[in-house]
Amino acid sequence: GHRYSIQIVLLCVFIYVKTSCGLRTVVEILKTFEDVLGGTCGKAPSYTTVRNWMLKLGLSVYDDDKSRDEAYAIIQDESLTVNRQKLLLTLGIPSKHPGRALRHSDATVLDMRVADSNTKDDVKDAIERAAAKAGHSPEYGVSDGGHNLKGGMALAGVPQHLDVSHTLANCMKTVYAEDEEFKSLTQKLGKIRLQYHLTDIAWLLPPNMRAIARFMNLSDWVEWGNRMLTNMDSLEQKAKDAFCFLENYRGLLEELSVDVDAIRHVETICKTRGFCLKTYRECSQYIILHVIGNANNRRATLGLRMLDYLKKEAKLLHLTNNAQNMSSDIIESDFGILKSKMSPNKLYGFTSMILMLPLYPKTIDYSVADEQDFKVRLANVKLKEIDDWAKANLSRNWVKDRTET
């Protein structure tokens, strides 16, 4: 068959992994290069060839890769359910916070498990596989508050940091979810979106409130509400009549704005500078001053819950003087990247294309990729090995079952 240069291989793989393009679109881009550049790039490969390149490189990296740092931590999380299946992903990251937000190039995929459910024993087994791959156990782990994740880390003897974003959102949820004034406001915002979404004031409507992770995404509509109140006098009468109800919630919106600003402030410190005794004290002082100080009962309760969370996390700091990671944003980003590549037909579930995840950090820039010796990796992996890996690690593909029936 036709042989392609390693540059063409990398160009195709980079375009697929680093952009939102599908496999067929990658081929069309190569054909366009061929037309415009007069054949400089050579013959364009088929989309199945590009797929095979990506899978071979992904499997090779996944099998060989381990945390680059002697002292490492893990981030664990489960994906959303796709056709009754969930992906349990375990990343290795530097134990010591790098002094900036984590990047994909800092992370290594240590383990992937696809199953209908993941118990705490499954989580423990995933940690042990990751430890075997790295050569020793992680210093600590980061995850959300899922019972199976917490239980699995406890069984594995790995100290756990709760992800700062999920936990602070849960603090908000505990205080406000059943609050009558908050519920009344959110219900009216939902109704007004339905009432005016096809009118000439639709451009003024509040942002959509997500059903999932609603309390992690309050800032947009809280900011909208306060801006509407600030600019109410400049609106046309029709808009004033539609949104005048916001005045009844001015105190709540101002309160929520303080809450959201405080959470954003704490998150920014923990994500960009890490969590250590210095940042713990800084965050605690900010909460006492800006959230609890001169607060009503609701806001004071939120502030106390935030302080309690930070105090519990600080107990892990006696193990080291280094700033530690306590954000799982990077794994959420991985799930987002994978979701953008998955078929809209949920019957496929998770396929061998999840091998893109270990490959992605190696394509961040060409200098990183140049160190991977991709040419050798392609030669060393056979397509049968990919099929064997899929049979051993993935669940049934219902689309394949339907086609063969």
Side-chain angles (χ1 to χ4, degrees), residues 291-343:
V291 182
I292 298 177
N294 297 320
N296 60 22
N297 185 60
R298 253 182 338 217
R299 206 173 82 195
T301 301
L302 173 66
L304 291 173
R305 287 187 173 274
M306 293 172 69
L307 287 177
D308 184 56
Y309 159 63
L310 294 175
K311 183 178 180 180
K312 289 178 180 178
E313 296 302 307
K315 290 180 180 178
L316 297 181
L317 297 177
H318 74 278
L319 302 172
T320 178
N321 293 321
N322 294 326
Q324 296 185 338
N325 297 285
M326 55 187 297
S327 170
S328 62
D329 282 1
I330 200 73
I331 206 168
E332 300 292 347
S333 177
D334 275 343
F335 286 140
I337 291 166
L338 180 62
K339 182 180 178 181
S340 72
K341 296 295 186 181
M342 294 182 70
S343 170

Side-chain angles (χ1 to χ4, degrees), residues 139-374:
E139 301 289 314
Y140 60 91
V142 182
S143 71
D144 60 28
H147 295 300
N148 58 340
L149 299 174
K150 292 172 68 175
M153 287 195 184
L155 286 176
V158 176
Q160 182 198 25
H161 278 304
L162 291 176
D163 170 64
V164 61
S165 295
H166 283 88
T167 309
L168 294 182
N170 282 333
C171 291
M172 286 286 289
K173 182 177 180 179
T174 301
V175 174
Y176 289 97
E178 297 304 320
D179 180 81
E180 292 302 323
E181 187 180 15
F182 182 87
K183 287 165 64 177
S184 173
L185 173 57
T186 55
Q187 287 167 3
K188 287 185 177 180
L189 292 178
K191 289 179 181 178
I192 205 169
R193 281 182 59 85
L194 291 174
Q195 184 177 354
Y196 291 102
H197 76 288
L198 294 178
T199 70
D200 57 356
I201 62 169
W203 61 281
L204 286 170
L205 290 175
N208 191 26
M209 292 179 290
R210 293 174 53 176
I212 299 176
R214 171 173 292 191
F215 286 88
M216 292 183 69
N217 299 275
L218 289 179
S219 58
D220 287 346
W221 69 260
V222 170
E223 181 182 356
W224 169 87
N226 282 292
R227 290 180 65 185
M228 287 294 290
L229 287 171
T230 300
N231 295 284
M232 189 68 70
D233 291 341
S234 64
L235 299 179
E236 296 180 358
Q237 190 59 45
K238 182 178 180 180
K240 288 181 180 179
D241 293 340
F243 298 107
C244 62
F245 72 92
L246 289 173
E247 186 61 43
N248 298 327
Y249 299 94
R250 179 182 290 272
L252 175 60
L253 285 166
E254 290 174 351
E255 176 185 331
L256 290 172
S257 182
V258 173
D259 297 342
V260 168
D261 286 347
I263 287 175
R264 185 185 293 122
H265 183 81
V266 171
E267 285 180 341
T268 300
I269 289 175
C270 293
K271 292 176 182 181
T272 60
R273 292 166 51 194
F275 190 64
C276 59
L277 290 177
K278 180 179 179 181
T279 54
Y280 163 57
R281 288 191 291 266
E282 186 175 332
C283 290
S284 298
Q285 289 169 1
Y286 185 93
I287 293 168
I288 292 170
L289 181 62
H290 295 277
V291 182
I292 298 177
N294 297 320
N296 60 22
N297 185 60
R298 253 182 338 217
R299 206 173 82 195
T301 301
L302 173 66
L304 291 173
R305 287 187 173 274
M306 293 172 69
L307 287 177
D308 184 56
Y309 159 63
L310 294 175
K311 183 178 180 180
K312 289 178 180 178
E313 296 302 307
K315 290 180 180 178
L316 297 181
L317 297 177
H318 74 278
L319 302 172
T320 178
N321 293 321
N322 294 326
Q324 296 185 338
N325 297 285
M326 55 187 297
S327 170
S328 62
D329 282 1
I330 200 73
I331 206 168
E332 300 292 347
S333 177
D334 275 343
F335 286 140
I337 291 166
L338 180 62
K339 182 180 178 181
S340 72
K341 296 295 186 181
M342 294 182 70
S343 170
N345 185 351
K346 302 304 181 184
L347 290 178
Y348 279 101
F350 290 99
T351 70
S352 53
M353 296 301 282
I354 64 173
L355 289 169
M356 183 190 75
L357 291 177
L359 181 60
Y360 183 82
K362 312 304 178 186
T363 63
I364 297 300
D365 60 64
Y366 193 82
S367 62
V368 174
D370 200 39
E371 299 173 356
Q372 297 301 312
D373 205 354
F374 282 154

Side-chain angles (χ1 to χ4, degrees), residues 362-405:
K362 312 304 178 186
T363 63
I364 297 300
D365 60 64
Y366 193 82
S367 62
V368 174
D370 200 39
E371 299 173 356
Q372 297 301 312
D373 205 354
F374 282 154
K375 189 173 184 179
V376 173
R377 290 185 181 278
L378 284 171
N380 288 343
V381 178
K382 308 302 180 186
L383 291 177
K384 184 179 183 304
E385 295 176 53
I386 297 170
D387 292 337
D388 292 342
W389 181 88
K391 290 176 183 176
N393 294 277
L394 302 178
S395 301
R396 288 173 53 195
N397 187 316
W398 284 10
V399 172
K400 184 178 178 181
D401 289 349
R402 181 172 178 169
T403 301
E404 294 176 352
T405 300

Side-chain angles (χ1 to χ4, degrees), residues 9 50 65 96-97 120 152 204 303 312 323 347:
V9 173
V50 177
D65 218 13
K96 181 180 178 181
H97 191 276
K120 61 183 180 180
L204 286 170
K312 289 178 180 178
L347 290 178

Side-chain angles (χ1 to χ4, degrees), residues 1-6 8-9 41-43 45 49 53 375 379:
H2 187 83
R3 292 185 177 274
Y4 297 90
S5 68
I6 190 62
I8 293 299
V9 173
C41 294
K43 179 184 176 182
T49 299
W53 289 339
K375 189 173 184 179

